[in-house]
């Protein structure tokens, strides 16, 4: 039985592992509407180089991702797919909700087919507000998530005991 399973992880080792996890975040993009264009600009454009932050935006499947960025209008029809995507991700896993439609339904909140926020489906770590939010806001959300990863107690996080309060960018 290893140190992590016993709960005897020394503080210096925890800090080292958190530092390595902070700078190796594999991102899975789930773009559903117009916010996906801003997400694409933040993750793929040379102007906003996220790889310098240690974010790798090219996993082939959710089984390789640490972070999912959900952006756009979440309809009731896509809810099972988002839930399945989240369940396929390995622990510890993180979620960024990007845009007003993803956060609370946006201008379509009164529609019968729009989910009133992705937090009703999966637990969200960072909310990025805006319609659509700027790529800089998404980068700030990623940096705030990295700070949370840096200060996490790995044993509690992997045991599922604590998730922390969601962070709101801005």
């Amino acid at each position: 039985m290893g140190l992590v399973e016993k709960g005897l992880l020394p503080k210096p080792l925890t800090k080292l592992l958190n530092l390595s996890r902070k700078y190796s975040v594999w991102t899975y993009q789930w773009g559903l509407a117009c916010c996906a264009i801003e997400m694409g600009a933040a993750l793929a454009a040379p102007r906003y180089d996220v790889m310098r932050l240690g974010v790798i935006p090219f996993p082939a499947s959710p089984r390789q991702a640490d972070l999912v960025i959900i952006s756009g209008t979440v309809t009731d029809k896509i809810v099972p797919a988002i839930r399945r995507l989240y369940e396929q991700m390995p622990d510890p896993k993180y979620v960024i909700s990007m845009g007003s439609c993803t956060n609370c339904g946006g201008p379509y909140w009164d529609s019968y087919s729009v989910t009133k926020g992705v937090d009703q489906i999966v637990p969200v770590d960072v909310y990025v507000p805006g319609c659509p939010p700027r790529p800089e806001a998404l980068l700030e959300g990623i940096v705030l998530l990295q700070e949370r990863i840096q200060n996490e107690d790995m044993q509690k996080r992997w045991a599922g005991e604590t998730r922390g309060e969601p962070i709101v960018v801005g």
Side-chain angles (χ1 to χ4, degrees), residues 35-164:
C35 290
I37 296 168
E38 297 294 325
M39 179 178 60
L43 297 176
R47 180 175 184 185
Y48 310 103
D49 183 22
V50 294
M51 295 204 55
R52 67 184 161 90
L53 298 174
V55 176
I56 298 98
F58 308 115
S61 77
R63 292 184 180 98
Q64 299 169 341
D66 303 314
L67 166 67
V68 61
I69 302 173
I70 302 172
S71 63
T73 309
V74 179
T75 59
D76 293 339
K77 194 170 186 175
I78 200 75
V79 166
I82 291 175
R83 190 171 290 125
R84 187 175 333 114
L85 161 99
Y86 183 77
E87 290 169 358
Q88 288 177 355
M89 292 172 60
D91 284 322
K93 49 192 162 190
Y94 306 95
V95 177
I96 292 181
S97 174
M98 180 181 173
S100 296
C101 293
T102 312
N103 293 343
C104 63
Y108 312 109
W109 66 272
D110 200 19
S111 173
Y112 67 93
S113 63
V114 173
T115 303
K116 309 304 184 267
V118 78
D119 56 349
Q120 296 181 357
I121 307 163
V122 295
V124 175
D125 294 295
V126 178
Y127 290 99
V128 180
C131 184
R134 296 280 306 145
E136 295 89 353
L138 178 59
L139 293 180
E140 183 181 351
I142 290 172
V143 169
L144 291 172
L145 180 65
Q146 286 177 326
E147 289 175 9
R148 171 176 279 183
I149 292 171
Q150 175 71 42
N151 300 321
E152 233 170 22
D153 183 2
M154 286 179 26
Q155 181 189 3
K156 288 181 181 177
R157 177 70 167 129
W158 287 346
E161 295 174 18
T162 181
R163 186 162 194 98

Side-chain angles (χ1 to χ4, degrees), residues 12-50:
L13 183 59
T14 299
K15 288 185 179 187
L16 179 68
L17 291 175
N18 281 348
L19 184 69
S20 65
R21 287 188 319 116
K22 172 184 174 180
Y23 289 118
S24 64
V25 178
W26 286 68
T27 305
Y28 191 80
Q29 305 101 23
W30 192 274
L32 299 171
C34 45
C35 290
I37 296 168
E38 297 294 325
M39 179 178 60
L43 297 176
R47 180 175 184 185
Y48 310 103
D49 183 22
V50 294

